[in-house]
Amino acid sequence: MDERLSGHDTFLSTTLRLKQPVHLPELPVRILTFDDVTVLTPLVCVLSQSQDGEEWGGTLLIPHGARPPVIPDDLAQAATEAGVDTSSWSPAEARHLLTFLSEAGPGPVRTERIALIIAALTGPS
């Protein structure tokens, strides 16, 4: 994949419809999403060893659907105290805010990021 897959369950099996170099109706694959990359691992071997390293394309079919964002308890508590309705966030807004927060470990940086998120959401538009 040329970009990281986010918002979907990973470590699950799904299907990939290959376009090139092998035309298959469906190729079973496992989705593995790590910190900065998503890897699809075929569950069956369809490419010959001579095609190893070649670029190929396809369409990922994800029947599992997008995961709803999970608001961490500390952010949920701060939002409630500030009167911020986290259920009104768009999926893109939730991903952005939660990624920003998740990059901070426990401690003062995380506390500051929660304060920044709440200030941004309660400030003048």
Side-chain angles (χ1 to χ4, degrees), residues 24-51:
L24 290 174
E26 292 182 347
L27 170 66
V29 295
R30 181 160 324 274
I31 303 170
L32 304 170
T33 298
F34 302 102
D35 288 341
D36 59 353
V37 67
T38 297
V39 177
L40 302 179
T41 304
L43 296 176
V44 296
C45 183
V46 295
L47 298 175
S48 69
Q49 211 169 19
S50 65
Q51 292 175 301

PDB file of all heavy atoms in Angstrom, residues 24-51:
ATOM      1  N   LEU A  24      -7.305 -11.601 -10.658  1.00  0.00           N
ATOM      2  CA  LEU A  24      -8.062 -12.533  -9.826  1.00  0.00           C
ATOM      3  C   LEU A  24      -9.318 -11.841  -9.335  1.00  0.00           C
ATOM      4  O   LEU A  24      -9.290 -10.649  -9.039  1.00  0.00           O
ATOM      5  CB  LEU A  24      -7.245 -12.957  -8.599  1.00  0.00           C
ATOM      6  CG  LEU A  24      -6.046 -13.851  -8.814  1.00  0.00           C
ATOM      7  CD1 LEU A  24      -5.300 -14.031  -7.502  1.00  0.00           C
ATOM      8  CD2 LEU A  24      -6.486 -15.198  -9.334  1.00  0.00           C
ATOM      9  N   PRO A  25     -10.418 -12.584  -9.226  1.00  0.00           N
ATOM     10  CA  PRO A  25     -11.606 -11.945  -8.679  1.00  0.00           C
ATOM     11  C   PRO A  25     -11.378 -11.504  -7.237  1.00  0.00           C
ATOM     12  O   PRO A  25     -11.768 -10.422  -6.855  1.00  0.00           O
ATOM     13  CB  PRO A  25     -12.693 -13.010  -8.764  1.00  0.00           C
ATOM     14  CG  PRO A  25     -12.046 -14.253  -9.243  1.00  0.00           C
ATOM     15  CD  PRO A  25     -10.634 -13.964  -9.604  1.00  0.00           C
ATOM     16  N   GLU A  26     -10.714 -12.344  -6.432  1.00  0.00           N
ATOM     17  CA  GLU A  26     -10.442 -11.980  -5.047  1.00  0.00           C
ATOM     18  C   GLU A  26      -9.213 -12.727  -4.557  1.00  0.00           C
ATOM     19  O   GLU A  26      -9.052 -13.911  -4.825  1.00  0.00           O
ATOM     20  CB  GLU A  26     -11.624 -12.332  -4.141  1.00  0.00           C
ATOM     21  CG  GLU A  26     -12.851 -11.506  -4.393  1.00  0.00           C
ATOM     22  CD  GLU A  26     -13.994 -11.846  -3.436  1.00  0.00           C
ATOM     23  OE1 GLU A  26     -13.931 -12.882  -2.742  1.00  0.00           O
ATOM     24  OE2 GLU A  26     -14.952 -11.074  -3.400  1.00  0.00           O
ATOM     25  N   LEU A  27      -8.348 -12.024  -3.849  1.00  0.00           N
ATOM     26  CA  LEU A  27      -7.185 -12.621  -3.214  1.00  0.00           C
ATOM     27  C   LEU A  27      -7.341 -12.424  -1.715  1.00  0.00           C
ATOM     28  O   LEU A  27      -7.424 -11.285  -1.249  1.00  0.00           O
ATOM     29  CB  LEU A  27      -5.896 -11.941  -3.694  1.00  0.00           C
ATOM     30  CG  LEU A  27      -4.613 -12.306  -2.949  1.00  0.00           C
ATOM     31  CD1 LEU A  27      -4.268 -13.782  -3.183  1.00  0.00           C
ATOM     32  CD2 LEU A  27      -3.472 -11.413  -3.388  1.00  0.00           C
ATOM     33  N   PRO A  28      -7.417 -13.493  -0.930  1.00  0.00           N
ATOM     34  CA  PRO A  28      -7.515 -13.312   0.519  1.00  0.00           C
ATOM     35  C   PRO A  28      -6.215 -12.731   1.071  1.00  0.00           C
ATOM     36  O   PRO A  28      -5.126 -13.199   0.722  1.00  0.00           O
ATOM     37  CB  PRO A  28      -7.754 -14.723   1.056  1.00  0.00           C
ATOM     38  CG  PRO A  28      -7.765 -15.645  -0.099  1.00  0.00           C
ATOM     39  CD  PRO A  28      -7.457 -14.884  -1.334  1.00  0.00           C
ATOM     40  N   VAL A  29      -6.334 -11.691   1.889  1.00  0.00           N
ATOM     41  CA  VAL A  29      -5.169 -11.038   2.491  1.00  0.00           C
ATOM     42  C   VAL A  29      -5.445 -10.749   3.961  1.00  0.00           C
ATOM     43  O   VAL A  29      -6.592 -10.695   4.397  1.00  0.00           O
ATOM     44  CB  VAL A  29      -4.800  -9.717   1.777  1.00  0.00           C
ATOM     45  CG1 VAL A  29      -4.349  -9.953   0.351  1.00  0.00           C
ATOM     46  CG2 VAL A  29      -5.940  -8.710   1.830  1.00  0.00           C
ATOM     47  N   ARG A  30      -4.368 -10.567   4.713  1.00  0.00           N
ATOM     48  CA  ARG A  30      -4.464 -10.102   6.090  1.00  0.00           C
ATOM     49  C   ARG A  30      -3.965  -8.667   6.114  1.00  0.00           C
ATOM     50  O   ARG A  30      -2.953  -8.342   5.497  1.00  0.00           O
ATOM     51  CB  ARG A  30      -3.629 -10.975   7.024  1.00  0.00           C
ATOM     52  CG  ARG A  30      -3.749 -10.500   8.471  1.00  0.00           C
ATOM     53  CD  ARG A  30      -3.372 -11.503   9.525  1.00  0.00           C
ATOM     54  NE  ARG A  30      -3.706 -12.882   9.278  1.00  0.00           N
ATOM     55  CZ  ARG A  30      -4.889 -13.451   9.564  1.00  0.00           C
ATOM     56  NH1 ARG A  30      -5.854 -12.737  10.080  1.00  0.00           N
ATOM     57  NH2 ARG A  30      -5.088 -14.726   9.333  1.00  0.00           N
ATOM     58  N   ILE A  31      -4.678  -7.789   6.834  1.00  0.00           N
ATOM     59  CA  ILE A  31      -4.299  -6.383   6.972  1.00  0.00           C
ATOM     60  C   ILE A  31      -3.462  -6.254   8.238  1.00  0.00           C
ATOM     61  O   ILE A  31      -3.898  -6.639   9.318  1.00  0.00           O
ATOM     62  CB  ILE A  31      -5.537  -5.474   7.107  1.00  0.00           C
ATOM     63  CG1 ILE A  31      -6.474  -5.644   5.926  1.00  0.00           C
ATOM     64  CG2 ILE A  31      -5.116  -4.022   7.271  1.00  0.00           C
ATOM     65  CD1 ILE A  31      -7.818  -4.958   6.131  1.00  0.00           C
ATOM     66  N   LEU A  32      -2.276  -5.685   8.096  1.00  0.00           N
ATOM     67  CA  LEU A  32      -1.400  -5.444   9.239  1.00  0.00           C
ATOM     68  C   LEU A  32      -1.063  -3.956   9.247  1.00  0.00           C
ATOM     69  O   LEU A  32      -0.373  -3.467   8.355  1.00  0.00           O
ATOM     70  CB  LEU A  32      -0.117  -6.271   9.121  1.00  0.00           C
ATOM     71  CG  LEU A  32      -0.312  -7.779   8.974  1.00  0.00           C
ATOM     72  CD1 LEU A  32       1.000  -8.451   8.617  1.00  0.00           C
ATOM     73  CD2 LEU A  32      -0.884  -8.362  10.238  1.00  0.00           C
ATOM     74  N   THR A  33      -1.568  -3.206  10.213  1.00  0.00           N
ATOM     75  CA  THR A  33      -1.288  -1.782  10.300  1.00  0.00           C
ATOM     76  C   THR A  33      -0.381  -1.528  11.493  1.00  0.00           C
ATOM     77  O   THR A  33      -0.699  -1.906  12.608  1.00  0.00           O
ATOM     78  CB  THR A  33      -2.582  -0.959  10.429  1.00  0.00           C
ATOM     79  OG1 THR A  33      -3.367  -1.176   9.260  1.00  0.00           O
ATOM     80  CG2 THR A  33      -2.282   0.527  10.544  1.00  0.00           C
ATOM     81  N   PHE A  34       0.748  -0.896  11.208  1.00  0.00           N
ATOM     82  CA  PHE A  34       1.717  -0.563  12.231  1.00  0.00           C
ATOM     83  C   PHE A  34       1.738   0.950  12.401  1.00  0.00           C
ATOM     84  O   PHE A  34       0.867   1.645  11.878  1.00  0.00           O
ATOM     85  CB  PHE A  34       3.093  -1.121  11.838  1.00  0.00           C
ATOM     86  CG  PHE A  34       3.055  -2.616  11.627  1.00  0.00           C
ATOM     87  CD1 PHE A  34       3.026  -3.146  10.347  1.00  0.00           C
ATOM     88  CD2 PHE A  34       3.010  -3.483  12.702  1.00  0.00           C
ATOM     89  CE1 PHE A  34       2.976  -4.516  10.139  1.00  0.00           C
ATOM     90  CE2 PHE A  34       2.958  -4.853  12.514  1.00  0.00           C
ATOM     91  CZ  PHE A  34       2.941  -5.376  11.236  1.00  0.00           C
ATOM     92  N   ASP A  35       2.720   1.495  13.119  1.00  0.00           N
ATOM     93  CA  ASP A  35       2.750   2.925  13.418  1.00  0.00           C
ATOM     94  C   ASP A  35       2.641   3.811  12.183  1.00  0.00           C
ATOM     95  O   ASP A  35       1.913   4.783  12.185  1.00  0.00           O
ATOM     96  CB  ASP A  35       4.023   3.297  14.178  1.00  0.00           C
ATOM     97  CG  ASP A  35       4.003   2.786  15.610  1.00  0.00           C
ATOM     98  OD1 ASP A  35       2.914   2.474  16.110  1.00  0.00           O
ATOM     99  OD2 ASP A  35       5.079   2.707  16.219  1.00  0.00           O
ATOM    100  N   ASP A  36       3.365   3.492  11.133  1.00  0.00           N
ATOM    101  CA  ASP A  36       3.379   4.393   9.980  1.00  0.00           C
ATOM    102  C   ASP A  36       3.191   3.693   8.644  1.00  0.00           C
ATOM    103  O   ASP A  36       3.416   4.294   7.596  1.00  0.00           O
ATOM    104  CB  ASP A  36       4.666   5.217   9.959  1.00  0.00           C
ATOM    105  CG  ASP A  36       5.912   4.339   9.884  1.00  0.00           C
ATOM    106  OD1 ASP A  36       5.786   3.113   9.986  1.00  0.00           O
ATOM    107  OD2 ASP A  36       7.009   4.894   9.730  1.00  0.00           O
ATOM    108  N   VAL A  37       2.777   2.438   8.650  1.00  0.00           N
ATOM    109  CA  VAL A  37       2.613   1.719   7.395  1.00  0.00           C
ATOM    110  C   VAL A  37       1.544   0.639   7.554  1.00  0.00           C
ATOM    111  O   VAL A  37       1.338   0.112   8.637  1.00  0.00           O
ATOM    112  CB  VAL A  37       3.954   1.090   6.935  1.00  0.00           C
ATOM    113  CG1 VAL A  37       4.406  -0.003   7.879  1.00  0.00           C
ATOM    114  CG2 VAL A  37       3.877   0.590   5.511  1.00  0.00           C
ATOM    115  N   THR A  38       0.859   0.343   6.459  1.00  0.00           N
ATOM    116  CA  THR A  38      -0.072  -0.781   6.407  1.00  0.00           C
ATOM    117  C   THR A  38       0.465  -1.769   5.382  1.00  0.00           C
ATOM    118  O   THR A  38       0.858  -1.382   4.287  1.00  0.00           O
ATOM    119  CB  THR A  38      -1.485  -0.327   6.004  1.00  0.00           C
ATOM    120  OG1 THR A  38      -1.974   0.559   7.005  1.00  0.00           O
ATOM    121  CG2 THR A  38      -2.430  -1.516   5.882  1.00  0.00           C
ATOM    122  N   VAL A  39       0.485  -3.033   5.762  1.00  0.00           N
ATOM    123  CA  VAL A  39       0.988  -4.089   4.894  1.00  0.00           C
ATOM    124  C   VAL A  39      -0.131  -5.092   4.668  1.00  0.00           C
ATOM    125  O   VAL A  39      -0.850  -5.452   5.596  1.00  0.00           O
ATOM    126  CB  VAL A  39       2.203  -4.808   5.546  1.00  0.00           C
ATOM    127  CG1 VAL A  39       2.685  -5.949   4.684  1.00  0.00           C
ATOM    128  CG2 VAL A  39       3.311  -3.816   5.827  1.00  0.00           C
ATOM    129  N   LEU A  40      -0.288  -5.513   3.419  1.00  0.00           N
ATOM    130  CA  LEU A  40      -1.228  -6.576   3.098  1.00  0.00           C
ATOM    131  C   LEU A  40      -0.426  -7.839   2.860  1.00  0.00           C
ATOM    132  O   LEU A  40       0.495  -7.846   2.049  1.00  0.00           O
ATOM    133  CB  LEU A  40      -2.039  -6.226   1.854  1.00  0.00           C
ATOM    134  CG  LEU A  40      -2.850  -4.941   1.919  1.00  0.00           C
ATOM    135  CD1 LEU A  40      -3.584  -4.724   0.601  1.00  0.00           C
ATOM    136  CD2 LEU A  40      -3.815  -4.970   3.078  1.00  0.00           C
ATOM    137  N   THR A  41      -0.775  -8.899   3.551  1.00  0.00           N
ATOM    138  CA  THR A  41      -0.086 -10.171   3.395  1.00  0.00           C
ATOM    139  C   THR A  41      -1.035 -11.165   2.761  1.00  0.00           C
ATOM    140  O   THR A  41      -2.083 -11.469   3.334  1.00  0.00           O
ATOM    141  CB  THR A  41       0.366 -10.704   4.772  1.00  0.00           C
ATOM    142  OG1 THR A  41       1.176  -9.711   5.388  1.00  0.00           O
ATOM    143  CG2 THR A  41       1.136 -11.988   4.638  1.00  0.00           C
ATOM    144  N   PRO A  42      -0.704 -11.670   1.559  1.00  0.00           N
ATOM    145  CA  PRO A  42      -1.572 -12.676   0.926  1.00  0.00           C
ATOM    146  C   PRO A  42      -1.666 -13.925   1.798  1.00  0.00           C
ATOM    147  O   PRO A  42      -0.682 -14.361   2.388  1.00  0.00           O
ATOM    148  CB  PRO A  42      -0.865 -12.987  -0.391  1.00  0.00           C
ATOM    149  CG  PRO A  42       0.033 -11.827  -0.643  1.00  0.00           C
ATOM    150  CD  PRO A  42       0.430 -11.313   0.703  1.00  0.00           C
ATOM    151  N   LEU A  43      -2.850 -14.490   1.879  1.00  0.00           N
ATOM    152  CA  LEU A  43      -3.056 -15.723   2.640  1.00  0.00           C
ATOM    153  C   LEU A  43      -2.853 -16.957   1.771  1.00  0.00           C
ATOM    154  O   LEU A  43      -2.799 -18.067   2.273  1.00  0.00           O
ATOM    155  CB  LEU A  43      -4.443 -15.732   3.278  1.00  0.00           C
ATOM    156  CG  LEU A  43      -4.671 -14.629   4.322  1.00  0.00           C
ATOM    157  CD1 LEU A  43      -6.113 -14.660   4.824  1.00  0.00           C
ATOM    158  CD2 LEU A  43      -3.697 -14.759   5.477  1.00  0.00           C
ATOM    159  N   VAL A  44      -2.754 -16.745   0.452  1.00  0.00           N
ATOM    160  CA  VAL A  44      -2.436 -17.825  -0.487  1.00  0.00           C
ATOM    161  C   VAL A  44      -1.388 -17.292  -1.455  1.00  0.00           C
ATOM    162  O   VAL A  44      -1.314 -16.093  -1.720  1.00  0.00           O
ATOM    163  CB  VAL A  44      -3.677 -18.323  -1.271  1.00  0.00           C
ATOM    164  CG1 VAL A  44      -4.702 -18.940  -0.337  1.00  0.00           C
ATOM    165  CG2 VAL A  44      -4.307 -17.205  -2.066  1.00  0.00           C
ATOM    166  N   CYS A  45      -0.562 -18.169  -1.996  1.00  0.00           N
ATOM    167  CA  CYS A  45       0.498 -17.760  -2.924  1.00  0.00           C
ATOM    168  C   CYS A  45      -0.051 -17.760  -4.350  1.00  0.00           C
ATOM    169  O   CYS A  45      -0.511 -18.790  -4.842  1.00  0.00           O
ATOM    170  CB  CYS A  45       1.680 -18.713  -2.807  1.00  0.00           C
ATOM    171  SG  CYS A  45       3.059 -18.221  -3.848  1.00  0.00           S
ATOM    172  N   VAL A  46      -0.034 -16.600  -5.009  1.00  0.00           N
ATOM    173  CA  VAL A  46      -0.518 -16.515  -6.391  1.00  0.00           C
ATOM    174  C   VAL A  46       0.524 -15.939  -7.333  1.00  0.00           C
ATOM    175  O   VAL A  46       0.410 -16.076  -8.530  1.00  0.00           O
ATOM    176  CB  VAL A  46      -1.816 -15.683  -6.506  1.00  0.00           C
ATOM    177  CG1 VAL A  46      -2.953 -16.361  -5.773  1.00  0.00           C
ATOM    178  CG2 VAL A  46      -1.602 -14.273  -6.022  1.00  0.00           C
ATOM    179  N   LEU A  47       1.524 -15.245  -6.796  1.00  0.00           N
ATOM    180  CA  LEU A  47       2.556 -14.646  -7.630  1.00  0.00           C
ATOM    181  C   LEU A  47       3.760 -15.570  -7.664  1.00  0.00           C
ATOM    182  O   LEU A  47       4.184 -16.087  -6.637  1.00  0.00           O
ATOM    183  CB  LEU A  47       2.973 -13.277  -7.081  1.00  0.00           C
ATOM    184  CG  LEU A  47       1.877 -12.217  -7.034  1.00  0.00           C
ATOM    185  CD1 LEU A  47       2.399 -10.957  -6.363  1.00  0.00           C
ATOM    186  CD2 LEU A  47       1.378 -11.901  -8.425  1.00  0.00           C
ATOM    187  N   SER A  48       4.323 -15.745  -8.849  1.00  0.00           N
ATOM    188  CA  SER A  48       5.513 -16.582  -8.958  1.00  0.00           C
ATOM    189  C   SER A  48       6.701 -15.858  -8.350  1.00  0.00           C
ATOM    190  O   SER A  48       6.697 -14.632  -8.217  1.00  0.00           O
ATOM    191  CB  SER A  48       5.782 -16.924 -10.418  1.00  0.00           C
ATOM    192  OG  SER A  48       6.199 -15.757 -11.105  1.00  0.00           O
ATOM    193  N   GLN A  49       7.709 -16.607  -7.981  1.00  0.00           N
ATOM    194  CA  GLN A  49       8.898 -16.023  -7.380  1.00  0.00           C
ATOM    195  C   GLN A  49       9.580 -15.050  -8.336  1.00  0.00           C
ATOM    196  O   GLN A  49      10.204 -14.087  -7.901  1.00  0.00           O
ATOM    197  CB  GLN A  49       9.861 -17.125  -6.963  1.00  0.00           C
ATOM    198  CG  GLN A  49      10.683 -16.756  -5.768  1.00  0.00           C
ATOM    199  CD  GLN A  49      11.432 -17.946  -5.203  1.00  0.00           C
ATOM    200  OE1 GLN A  49      11.624 -18.943  -5.876  1.00  0.00           O
ATOM    201  NE2 GLN A  49      11.857 -17.821  -3.973  1.00  0.00           N
ATOM    202  N   SER A  50       9.432 -15.256  -9.638  1.00  0.00           N
ATOM    203  CA  SER A  50      10.044 -14.345 -10.613  1.00  0.00           C
ATOM    204  C   SER A  50       9.383 -12.965 -10.579  1.00  0.00           C
ATOM    205  O   SER A  50       9.949 -11.994 -11.056  1.00  0.00           O
ATOM    206  CB  SER A  50       9.957 -14.930 -12.023  1.00  0.00           C
ATOM    207  OG  SER A  50       8.610 -15.032 -12.439  1.00  0.00           O
ATOM    208  N   GLN A  51       8.167 -12.869 -10.026  1.00  0.00           N
ATOM    209  CA  GLN A  51       7.462 -11.581  -9.941  1.00  0.00           C
ATOM    210  C   GLN A  51       7.730 -10.877  -8.615  1.00  0.00           C
ATOM    211  O   GLN A  51       7.219  -9.790  -8.385  1.00  0.00           O
ATOM    212  CB  GLN A  51       5.954 -11.797 -10.094  1.00  0.00           C
ATOM    213  CG  GLN A  51       5.535 -12.248 -11.479  1.00  0.00           C
ATOM    214  CD  GLN A  51       4.057 -12.561 -11.529  1.00  0.00           C
ATOM    215  OE1 GLN A  51       3.577 -13.411 -10.796  1.00  0.00           O
ATOM    216  NE2 GLN A  51       3.353 -11.868 -12.395  1.00  0.00           N
TER     217      GLN A  51
END
